[in-house]
Amino acid sequence: MTAAQRLERLYGDYIEQFHCQDSERKPGQGIFGMGAGPGDLRCHGLFIEKLEALLTDITGMGADSREVREVLWFIFSEPVRLQSEAPAVYWTLMAAQGLGIRLIGLLDKEDAAELYEAYKSEYPRLRRMPAQKQVIDALSERANRK
């Protein structure tokens, strides 16, 4: 199984776990801060832990720049594709983009420049949160290295 396939499976499992755990909440739970809401479900933290482990594996396996670009684009584009999912999922995926920074150093200059342009287009300045600002800075630095 390729790194991209493992990543797709991880994201799919996360979405499935979210819906399963969310359906187990009592009606009204989390409204007005009473009880755990959708953002408090354990699946979010587990997803982040598993994503970190997967990215560590990818870093250690010596993936080439093309494969790393494919993995990073998946991580960067999924929040946009899944924007209609629950807000808790969307914001978790947006924050998870910051984890991809560790892979940017594995990109060659051309792939970094291509990803930088696509990312800038996908996340205009007004839509960028701290994680997106860090990603754009890291991509820019990698694309412009000598």
Side-chain angles (χ1 to χ4, degrees):
M1 182 178 295
T2 68
Q5 290 169 329
R6 289 172 60 197
L7 189 63
E8 286 179 39
R9 175 175 282 169
L10 174 64
Y11 274 63
D13 290 348
Y14 165 58
I15 300 299
E16 186 177 314
Q17 288 173 359
F18 171 79
H19 288 298
C20 181
Q21 291 177 18
D22 192 46
S23 70
E24 294 171 356
R25 289 185 320 112
K26 294 177 183 157
Q29 188 177 359
I31 295 177
F32 306 118
M34 304 296 285
D40 300 317
L41 297 174
R42 65 187 178 280
C43 62
H44 304 300
L46 289 173
F47 167 73
I48 295 296
E49 288 174 16
K50 289 177 181 179
L51 181 59
E52 284 179 319
L54 178 56
L55 296 180
T56 298
D57 286 352
I58 292 170
T59 302
M61 72 181 204
D64 66 3
S65 182
R66 180 198 55 75
E67 187 173 16
V68 170
R69 185 187 73 223
E70 184 180 334
V71 164
L72 286 172
W73 184 245
F74 183 87
I75 292 169
F76 298 157
S77 63
E78 279 303 278
V80 174
R81 190 179 77 76
L82 296 171
Q83 202 164 8
S84 63
E85 285 289 334
V89 169
Y90 174 75
W91 291 114
T92 298
L93 296 179
M94 289 291 282
Q97 288 184 6
L99 299 175
I101 291 172
R102 71 178 76 184
L103 295 181
I104 291 174
L106 301 175
L107 292 170
D108 62 30
K109 186 176 180 175
E110 293 75 24
D111 283 335
E114 183 180 317
L115 205 50
Y116 172 76
E117 291 301 325
Y119 194 84
K120 261 190 356 182
S121 174
E122 198 69 51
Y123 296 97
R125 191 175 303 270
L126 293 176
R127 286 192 52 210
R128 294 180 199 155
M129 301 302 285
Q132 287 68 49
K133 291 174 186 174
Q134 291 171 347
V135 167
I136 202 93
D137 289 346
L139 286 170
S140 174
E141 183 178 315
R142 189 71 178 169
N144 292 317
R145 76 175 196 272
K146 296 186 182 203

